[in-house]
Amino acid sequence: WSLGNEAGPGENFVAGNAAIKARDLSRPTHYERNNDIVDIDSNQYPSVGWTYGKAAQKNPKKPFYISEYAHIMNNGMGNLADYWDAIEKSDNIFGAAIWEWSDQGLQKTAEDGRKFIAYGGDFGDFPNDGQFIVKGVVYANRDPKPDFWEVKKVYQEISVAPVVLADAGTGEIEIFNKHFFRDLSGYDLAWELTGDGTLIGSGKMPAPDVAPRAKLKVTLPLPAFSPQPGVDYRLRVGFRTTTDTILGPAGYEVAAEQLAVKNPAGDAKPALVVAGDKPTVSATLSDNGDLTTVSGKDFRAVFDRTTGELTALEYSGKPVFKPGKGPALNVFRAPVNNDRWAMNDWFGLGLRHLKAQAAAFTVEATGDNTVRISALSDYTGESAERVFDYATNQPKISATGRDLPPEAPVFRVASAWTVYPDGSVAREADITATGRNVPLAKIGFTLELPATYSKAEYYGRGPEENYPDRKTGSFLGRYSRAVPDFFEPYAKPQDMANREEVSWVALRDESGSGVLFAGLGKMSATVLPYTADELAAAAHPTDLPRNPDRTRLDLDAAVLGLGGASCGPIPLERDIVKAGTSHRFGFVIRPLRPKADAAELARVR
């Protein structure tokens, strides 16, 4: 029995607890605001570190329950896996309650006929709770949000680990049945072996009869295959029901795990080829400043000497970027509700819009049939801004009218561009900053492609949106969808669609031709038809442009975790991006022919 919620510790609760005990001794009592009078200890929104400390506590007097945690608020719920790593180290902490199950919103119709989910203030109501009622694991219509799949994975009652550390290639796995009262009869075990997301082999068998809280080693009959250098091999193991249950029809997957398979051929990818005619270099003077053009068979790359950036790129006469929207340094995202602890600095220090000025720019025709461009670019904020009422139905962003404060970060990007005979353009960058060492939303490059690049494919975590501290339920794989389908219908639009541990992103038009962006190391990526500015300014999805004219792509070295700071702790230090940290980051841009395999073309260094 719970005595109530957040209502103070007064004497009436002592009397209420006594009255309950006089009637029912069959179940314990709970009241987070006065643990002294009830049977169960509890608290709300502890940090992950505090939870680890509680898990390590010896001989506690009472069992413990986290009565609220993992606050969501539109796009949120960071650190669920971290909390449960701590909880499962304890025999005393018996659970926790996510706040909460469903967004609480009502469907309304906009003047143009489009429907949206209304929240506090959308009915002329005052006072109201603004967006504080849209904080569910599922949307108001009960469709799953991306965090639904994180909950499903973290809460599953069966886990799998490789017998050989970090290598499931032998097929030897250890199954742990986390249930306290049932064995694993009634399940099938299904497995899949993949290389860069392509299926190599699969199988299914009855799940072994593992007793409650027991572990069992099993060897799966994996097929022999010829390993290729630089390919990411993965083994996926899932447990499915053999009969219809309350969860769904027979075949519903209740638990799954993905294990790394060590590549016997090595992780090193082949180098980009330099065979072919050496690209030619020319310099022109435009109204916007000096431009350097590097061209070759079926490609043309234009660099702006005033910014040090790649400003235009064409493959077979088709522009890759919208005019003036080539890769530019970006440290901003449309704030999620959990960003309220850091977002004021993003606006006040001018970090929403950055402008570049080249400090150095040199061009060199190398001896290996490539052209090397070296540039130093200094990025500063354009103007100081402020944001207010962001958690209401009328968010506002405006200029302060003041100069940027002297402590505003100044970012220096040292770039080494290499242009190859086949039109591949590689960028290796070192990003540093002076000024305040503030937490950043992300650090990387943003660019815009024509909307005709409407089909996206990538290798990374998915298929749903994921973040550094909400990715346990997102397995590595090869995923594809139309660019508009990356949009998430959060009641208040905000940052969305991020994917972690991305190896490459391919964008194609209706003909099948397009462009590939392959990471030269750790990379996060976002594909959307909307800009961060549009998402930040919109109170509802119906406020966004009806027919956006671009495909926006963010390629990031690091992304801020989600945490839970709309009603809880900020992200872990592990997942906080700092301006004062040096970031090394690189990617290569390659042309895609209609039938070219993006995974094969991305397998380069």
Side-chain angles (χ1 to χ4, degrees):
W1 292 113
S2 173
L3 304 187
N5 185 60
E6 300 177 354
E11 289 300 313
N12 285 332
F13 291 100
V14 177
N17 190 62
I20 289 171
K21 292 299 186 184
R23 295 184 59 177
D24 181 8
L25 293 175
S26 68
R27 69 198 75 185
T29 52
H30 155 267
Y31 184 52
E32 179 262 339
R33 292 303 160 103
N34 192 346
N35 285 323
D36 292 340
I37 66 174
V38 288
D39 303 311
I40 295 167
D41 280 343
S42 64
N43 70 358
Q44 296 181 355
Y45 304 106
S47 68
V48 171
W50 187 97
T51 307
Y52 273 107
K54 185 66 178 178
Q57 184 180 352
K58 303 296 184 183
N59 302 315
K61 294 180 179 179
K62 300 178 185 179
F64 186 83
Y65 184 65
I66 303 174
S67 54
E68 289 184 28
Y69 83 135
H71 204 263
I72 297 170
M73 282 289 285
N74 286 304
N75 182 9
M77 204 185 70
N79 301 122
L80 190 72
D82 298 295
Y83 278 109
W84 276 84
D85 183 66
I87 291 170
E88 292 187 335
K89 287 179 166 58
S90 167
D91 288 332
N92 182 53
I93 307 175
F94 66 88
I98 293 170
W99 207 256
E100 57 191 297
W101 167 243
S102 173
D103 283 0
Q104 299 160 18
L106 297 174
Q107 190 179 81
K108 286 189 72 175
T109 303
E111 291 182 0
D112 63 2
R114 289 186 290 172
K115 298 184 183 301
F116 67 98
I117 294 300
Y119 49 85
D122 284 335
F123 303 91
D125 49 312
F126 183 83
N128 61 72
D129 262 351
Q131 298 166 39
F132 208 68
I133 59 172
V134 284
K135 48 189 174 182
V137 175
V138 297
Y139 290 108
N141 68 353
R142 305 317 192 250
D143 283 346
K145 285 183 176 179
D147 48 36
F148 175 97
W149 307 105
E150 185 80 352
V151 178
K152 183 178 187 291
K153 172 66 171 64
V154 173
Y155 280 13
Q156 68 187 26
E157 300 279 12
I158 308 167
S159 67
V160 179
V163 172
V164 179
L165 184 65
D167 183 13
T170 63
E172 295 180 286
I173 60 172
E174 183 176 74
I175 301 169
F176 176 28
N177 179 9
K178 295 183 179 182
H179 291 100
F180 281 84
F181 304 108
R182 61 164 298 175
D183 60 28
L184 297 188
S185 60
Y187 295 117
D188 281 335
L189 184 160
W191 58 268
E192 292 180 347
L193 178 65
T194 58
D196 277 353
T198 299
L199 184 66
I200 297 172
S202 63
K204 187 173 76 170
M205 64 185 75
D209 188 7
V210 186
R213 305 302 293 175
K215 295 181 178 180
L216 181 69
K217 292 179 180 178
V218 175
T219 300
L220 303 177
L222 303 187
F225 65 95
S226 300
Q228 301 298 314
V231 174
D232 182 47
Y233 293 102
R234 297 278 158 172
L235 175 64
R236 188 187 193 280
V237 181
F239 294 84
R240 304 170 182 174
T241 59
T242 56
T243 60
D244 295 348
T245 71
I246 193 173
L247 297 174
Y252 180 82
E253 188 172 77
V254 298
E257 190 59 80
Q258 187 184 59
L259 308 174
V261 173
K262 186 176 180 180
N263 186 343
D267 297 327
K269 299 176 182 180
L272 270 162
V273 295
V274 295
D277 295 333
K278 182 181 294 187
T280 60
V281 181
S282 62
T284 60
L285 184 65
S286 73
D287 292 337
N288 297 320
D290 290 324
L291 300 177
T292 294
T293 300
V294 182
S295 59
K297 184 179 179 181
D298 295 329
F299 81 89
R300 175 175 172 267
V302 181
F303 294 84
D304 188 336
R305 301 174 69 94
T306 66
T307 64
E309 293 290 1
L310 177 66
T311 190
L313 180 64
E314 293 178 3
Y315 289 135
S316 299
K318 292 182 179 180
V320 172
F321 314 134
K322 288 180 67 66
K325 295 295 184 180
L329 183 69
N330 178 48
V331 297
F332 178 76
R333 71 184 183 193
V336 302
N337 295 91
N338 285 354
D339 286 337
R340 67 179 190 175
W341 67 280
M343 61 188 285
N344 286 335
D345 275 341
W346 303 346
F347 291 95
L349 297 176
L351 302 183
R352 183 162 73 111
H353 297 143
L354 301 176
K355 55 185 178 182
Q357 177 65 50
F361 188 94
T362 60
V363 182
E364 176 189 8
T366 68
D368 61 359
N369 283 1
T370 65
V371 172
R372 170 64 63 89
I373 292 177
S374 301
L376 291 177
S377 303
D378 290 330
Y379 277 86
T380 56
E382 288 188 354
S383 63
E385 299 177 307
R386 61 174 180 164
V387 59
F388 49 99
D389 295 338
Y390 197 74
T392 74
N393 70 333
Q394 295 181 345
K396 300 178 183 68
I397 301 170
S398 64
T400 64
R402 298 189 295 269
D403 293 336
L404 286 175
E407 71 272 17
V410 175
F411 299 90
R412 168 153 286 192
V413 182
S415 298
W417 299 90
T418 308
V419 184
Y420 290 81
D422 67 349
S424 297
V425 181
R427 178 183 204 163
E428 297 170 279
D430 183 81
I431 308 168
T432 57
T434 58
R436 277 182 58 195
N437 187 22
V438 294
L440 303 175
K442 54 169 60 182
I443 192 159
F445 299 95
T446 187
L447 56 137
E448 293 182 16
L449 296 83
T452 51
Y453 293 99
S454 59
K455 298 179 179 180
E457 185 181 21
Y458 73 96
Y459 185 83
R461 288 195 176 268
E464 302 304 326
E465 163 196 282
N466 51 87
Y467 285 81
D469 54 1
R470 201 191 71 206
K471 63 181 181 181
T472 301
S474 302
F475 291 159
L476 286 162
R478 185 170 179 168
Y479 304 106
S480 62
R481 61 178 63 182
V483 170
D485 293 339
F486 283 90
F487 180 77
E488 285 294 330
Y490 294 119
K492 190 317 184 185
Q494 51 199 255
D495 192 77
M496 62 178 69
N498 184 72
R499 276 18 180 217
E500 287 294 299
E501 297 175 43
V502 174
S503 297
W504 54 265
V505 180
L507 293 162
R508 298 181 188 262
D509 60 21
E510 290 296 331
S511 74
S513 63
V515 60
L516 171 75
F517 299 85
L520 300 175
K522 178 177 178 285
M523 184 169 77
S524 305
T526 300
V527 178
L528 275 176
Y530 304 108
T531 66
D533 286 349
E534 290 168 343
L535 295 173
H540 307 93
T542 48
D543 298 327
L544 294 167
R546 194 155 196 171
N547 296 299
D549 65 347
R550 96 283 288 173
T551 290
R552 170 190 144 215
L553 174 65
D554 286 4
L555 303 174
D556 295 309
V559 171
L560 178 66
L562 296 170
S566 55
C567 191
I570 68 173
L572 299 181
E573 187 68 22
R574 173 197 71 197
D575 301 315
I576 296 177
V577 184
K578 295 287 186 67
T581 301
S582 176
H583 295 274
R584 296 294 298 272
F585 182 52
F587 56 87
V588 57
I589 310 172
R590 309 198 74 186
L592 275 177
R593 309 305 178 199
K595 294 184 179 180
D597 181 16
E600 183 177 346
L601 284 175
R603 211 171 291 139
V604 292
R605 58 181 168 85

